[in-house]
Amino acid sequence: MCIRDRYWTTPFLQPFTPEKHSPIFKKKFLSWYNKTQMEVLSSILSKIDSFLWGLPLIILLIGTGIFLTVRLGFLQVFKLPLALKLIFKAENKGRGDVTSFKSLCVALASTVGTGNIVGVATAVKMGGPGALFWMWVAAFFGMATKYAEGVLAVKYRAFDKNREIAGGPMYYICLLYTSPSPRDRTRS
């Protein structure tokens, strides 16, 4: 017996023959079997997408916000008066290119876009007034996440070749993956 014959006699390696199976199996399998690879990939990605954009993402986003809110000592409640005072009344005594009010305007413009405005209107239309409450809850905990993102952006900002300040998530994420970890520095 040749190796090729032994290979095809193994049950799970035999080629598919629809005649040997039940009509229900043939119908289900052939509907999948006749699809192109792109259609199969698209259906797999669609299932993954519908799972991830459901409960896991909500838990991850709100959970991170709750963790940061507690860890930062409810910063969005207790530091709000100071933040408003610094934005609207403080003079720009330090070095820098942008005043604090201009910085706030840029941050709000980049955060609140047309998609968010349309998203709120759609959520209220589809979910009713209860959707507005849950958006406020998510926004409250999202403030701590946004604060943490801003702190990291300021802490890990850099100067470009023109000696202008540059920073943001791309800088601190790049530093996270390119610099050695603090554990490695303490061992040497």
Side-chain angles (χ1 to χ4, degrees):
M1 180 186 271
C2 132
I3 293 174
R4 183 178 52 107
D5 296 334
R6 270 188 279 155
Y7 173 78
W8 287 116
T9 55
T10 309
F12 60 89
L13 294 177
Q14 291 179 355
F16 174 70
T17 52
E19 307 82 46
K20 295 182 181 178
H21 299 286
S22 70
I24 296 172
F25 177 79
K26 281 195 280 187
K27 182 178 179 183
K28 287 184 177 180
F29 184 79
L30 286 177
S31 66
W32 175 82
Y33 190 73
N34 291 333
K35 290 183 179 178
T36 64
Q37 290 178 349
M38 200 57 163
E39 289 173 337
V40 172
L41 181 65
S42 177
S43 68
I44 290 170
L45 290 177
S46 176
K47 288 177 184 173
I48 292 171
D49 178 61
S50 63
F51 171 73
L52 288 180
W53 281 96
L55 194 59
L57 186 67
I58 292 171
I59 290 171
L60 184 66
L61 289 176
I62 301 295
T64 303
I66 291 171
F67 171 75
L68 289 172
T69 297
V70 172
R71 187 86 170 125
L72 294 170
F74 289 88
L75 180 90
Q76 58 272 57
V77 175
F78 296 116
K79 298 292 183 181
L80 183 63
L82 176 64
L84 292 174
K85 179 183 158 198
L86 290 174
I87 288 171
F88 295 113
K89 294 188 179 177
E91 296 296 322
N92 199 14
K93 296 176 185 170
R95 294 183 310 130
D97 300 334
V98 181
T99 66
S100 54
F101 183 72
K102 289 179 184 176
S103 175
L104 171 73
C105 291
V106 169
L108 285 176
S110 65
T111 304
V112 180
T114 309
N116 288 342
I117 296 168
V118 172
V120 169
T122 305
V124 170
K125 173 70 176 158
M126 294 182 73
L132 194 59
F133 169 76
W134 289 110
M135 282 188 278
W136 285 344
V137 170
F140 177 77
F141 293 118
M143 283 188 250
T145 309
K146 188 70 174 171
Y147 174 79
E149 181 183 335
V151 167
L152 288 172
V154 169
K155 183 174 181 176
Y156 295 108
R157 63 186 168 189
F159 291 96
D160 63 4
K161 60 184 176 186
N162 298 330
R163 300 296 298 159
E164 293 178 359
I165 296 175
M170 59 277 193
Y171 283 89
Y172 59 80
I173 290 173
C174 182
L175 283 173
L176 173 72
Y177 289 111
T178 58
S179 64
S181 83
R183 289 178 291 167
D184 295 338
R185 282 184 245 139
T186 56
R187 289 182 188 159
S188 47

